[in-house]
Amino acid sequence: MNIFNAQESNVQCYAKNFPVVFSSAKGCWLNTSEGERYLDFLAGAGALNYGHNNPVLKKALMDYIDQDGLTHGLDMHSEAKATFLENLKNYILTPRGLDYKVQFTGPTGTNAVEAALKLARKVKGRQNIVAFTNGFHGVSYGALAATGNQHHRGGAGMALSGVTRLPYEGYADLDGLALFEAMLTDNSSGLDKPAAVILETVQGEGGLNVASDEWLQRLSAICKRHDILLIVDDIQAGCGRTGTFFSFEPSGIKPDMVTLSKSIGGYGLPMAVVLLKPELDKWLPGEHNGTFRGNNHAFVTAAVAIEAYWHNDEFEQHINARAAQLNVTLQKVLKQYPAVFEKIKGRGLMQGIACHDGEFAGAIGKLCFANGMIIETAGPDDEVLKFFCPLTISEAELEKGLHIFEKAVAEYAKSSMKKAS
Ligand SMILES: *Cc1c(COP(=O)(O)O)cnc(C)c1O
């Protein structure tokens, strides 16, 4: 028995699918202590958009540590934090016509969601929050109440309250927004008027379901009409994953709050923020506290990542070219293996392919792993293979990954045909 099985809790999940011991990593590649190499199409579930040990970020961090730059700072002012705030404002917010204040929360995504929900309830003086089917917002109690997944909800051990669930776009062919508007205007609908609506514009864990620009615009208009705050949880879909810095940019909506974590720190370092419209900033000092809100190493790499990758639109063009490259292969296998695949999901480098059965996706993922690539599944039955490579991936590296995937699919199709006959 190895040390992990002997000592580490059963709560591990990714480790169960990829049972090797990693030692080092660079860009899109992971290395094991046995000397094997794996292409990383999981990328820390979207926390490594700029790749492992990105040399530009690493240099800045090494220099900062070498100069004894502040590591831990609670919420005190530091030069590293100032640079991050300036770069976020100058390279991201101002060019997009967005005016947000920044709340540093505890360094996990779920804590940013907690903060956003608390602030919405405080500002509006209402308890209820509307969240959507298949949404994932984290696993602490407040965020978990907004999360759909039964496996995660089952871990709560107590009532999860304060959230009303509505159908996301395309869910069971229902028009969730027509329902929402009807319920808001009916005094006997039983819907307690919500303080806020929270959603992902592309549902990361829920199966790469995409909300269209029109649907987002409709939702935003309903929220405005009824004095309800709109919170976009961009923890996974943000930081370039869908092709623009914020996932909601193409729709033109301007959410009241935005949560960011995962790749905002740039280097895989823990960091989370809530972006909020200035008039919502009704917090009292220390009202949402947290010891690790001042991870200055993350501020350093976050600031450099923003400047290096978002000062012009080259990186966006790169992401969109890679997304198109990925889409070609997905279209091809969809056509070639209609018995295995159902449809293409997601957008940008947040794409995947849904299998008819979760078992198919799991088996193909396993074959990819055997051939040197790490890839995960998402969706209610883990039926969607999710191509989450670092956004910095080169054309050749992506080709290599897609080749491994195609080979795995071919192997799977052959073996399942044998089983069937
Ligand atoms: C990962 C994720 C979270 C939770 O972040 P943690 O850092 O795991 O707490 C919340 N919302 C979305 C959309 C996520 O993808």
Side-chain angles (χ1 to χ4, degrees):
M1 206 196 288
N2 65 37
I3 185 75
F4 306 103
N5 293 341
Q7 287 297 112
E8 195 177 349
S9 157
N10 289 327
V11 79
Q12 313 159 59
C13 71
Y14 297 104
K16 297 222 156 64
N17 292 340
F18 312 117
V20 290
V21 180
F22 296 105
S23 52
S24 63
K26 189 85 191 160
C28 303
W29 293 94
L30 283 159
N31 306 307
T32 70
S33 24
E34 305 281 299
E36 291 150 330
R37 275 181 107 197
Y38 292 91
L39 254 181
D40 188 359
F41 273 51
L42 171 57
L48 291 160
N49 283 4
Y50 307 101
H52 292 271
N53 291 306
N54 181 300
V56 180
L57 310 186
K58 180 171 155 183
K59 169 91 180 41
L61 183 58
M62 301 270 276
D63 289 349
Y64 183 80
I65 292 173
D66 199 48
Q67 290 153 24
D68 286 331
L70 195 77
T71 296
H72 179 275
L74 294 169
D75 64 11
M76 290 187 284
H77 297 166
S78 69
E79 287 173 11
K81 190 198 274 186
T83 309
F84 167 72
L85 287 169
E86 277 159 15
N87 286 4
L88 182 73
K89 188 171 166 63
N90 296 335
Y91 295 111
I92 305 292
L93 300 180
T94 305
R96 289 163 179 77
L98 297 168
D99 181 19
Y100 289 128
K101 288 182 85 174
V102 181
Q103 177 183 2
F104 294 95
T105 66
T108 59
T110 201
N111 197 253
V113 170
E114 296 289 339
L117 298 182
K118 277 162 80 171
L119 185 61
R121 286 172 169 137
K122 180 181 162 82
V123 168
K124 292 296 173 197
R126 301 176 210 138
Q127 274 189 28
N128 199 22
I129 301 284
V130 160
F132 290 94
T133 50
N134 294 118
F136 180 84
H137 301 288
V139 297
S140 54
Y141 284 111
L144 186 57
T147 291
N149 185 290
Q150 206 49 54
H151 178 64
H152 290 121
R153 294 176 66 84
M158 62 175 244
L160 296 168
S161 60
V163 172
T164 299
R165 192 128 1 238
L166 286 176
Y168 194 73
E169 185 172 14
Y171 184 82
D173 287 328
L174 296 167
D175 186 343
L177 297 186
L179 177 66
F180 188 27
E181 180 108 71
M183 291 180 89
L184 281 169
T185 47
D186 175 357
N187 286 330
S188 296
S189 71
L191 174 70
D192 294 326
K193 184 167 174 166
V197 168
I198 185 166
L199 84 159
E200 303 159 89
T201 68
V202 181
Q203 296 185 316
E205 300 305 304
L208 305 180
N209 310 308
V210 177
S212 67
D213 293 346
E214 302 74 50
W215 193 85
L216 291 172
Q217 289 156 8
R218 262 178 81 199
L219 176 61
S220 170
I222 292 172
C223 288
K224 281 210 175 81
R225 229 172 3 253
H226 294 274
D227 182 38
I228 296 162
L229 297 174
L230 182 60
I231 305 169
V232 169
D233 180 351
D234 235 3
I235 287 170
Q236 190 162 153
C239 300
R241 184 48 67 180
T242 63
T244 48
F245 186 85
F246 295 110
S247 67
F248 53 83
E249 285 175 46
S251 74
I253 65 164
K254 293 192 172 162
D256 297 292
M257 289 190 244
V258 181
T259 54
L260 291 174
S261 185
K262 292 206 163 89
S263 269
I264 187 64
Y267 200 66
L269 289 169
M271 175 172 171
V273 294
V274 181
L275 307 179
L276 49 114
K277 288 195 171 160
E279 64 270 23
L280 299 177
D281 194 14
K282 306 286 188 213
W283 286 117
L284 299 175
E287 209 175 4
H288 186 88
N289 241 332
T291 306
F292 287 104
R293 287 171 299 146
N295 181 358
N296 280 262
H297 288 174
F299 298 158
V300 169
T301 48
V304 175
I306 286 173
E307 185 172 17
Y309 288 95
W310 298 97
H311 70 281
N312 62 21
D313 64 2
E314 258 172 51
F315 191 49
E316 283 188 9
Q317 286 172 21
H318 167 83
I319 298 165
N320 290 316
R322 297 291 75 75
Q325 185 186 352
L326 166 60
N327 190 263
V328 168
T329 298
L330 297 183
Q331 298 279 3
K332 184 173 144 203
V333 298
L334 178 64
K335 213 183 264 160
Q336 208 172 348
Y337 302 99
V340 179
F341 298 118
E342 189 191 341
K343 62 177 165 195
I344 296 170
K345 310 280 305 269
R347 61 186 179 88
L349 278 181
M350 198 162 178
Q351 282 182 84
I353 190 161
C355 301
H356 291 294
D357 193 310
E359 236 172 79
F360 302 175
I364 293 167
K366 260 208 178 82
L367 288 166
C368 286
F369 183 62
N371 286 299
M373 177 166 119
I374 281 176
I375 185 164
E376 257 294 352
T377 54
D381 300 309
D382 296 318
E383 74 282 14
V384 181
L385 282 154
K386 197 174 160 193
F387 292 76
F388 249 54
C389 51
L391 305 181
T392 48
I393 195 166
S394 70
E395 184 176 356
E397 286 167 328
L398 180 54
E399 212 47 53
K400 193 166 179 94
L402 294 173
H403 187 74
I404 293 173
F405 166 67
E406 283 190 76
K407 199 172 141 216
V409 174
E411 262 178 66
Y412 174 72
K414 210 165 116 199
S415 72
S416 64
M417 248 160 52
K418 226 188 259 160
K419 246 189 270 162
S421 63

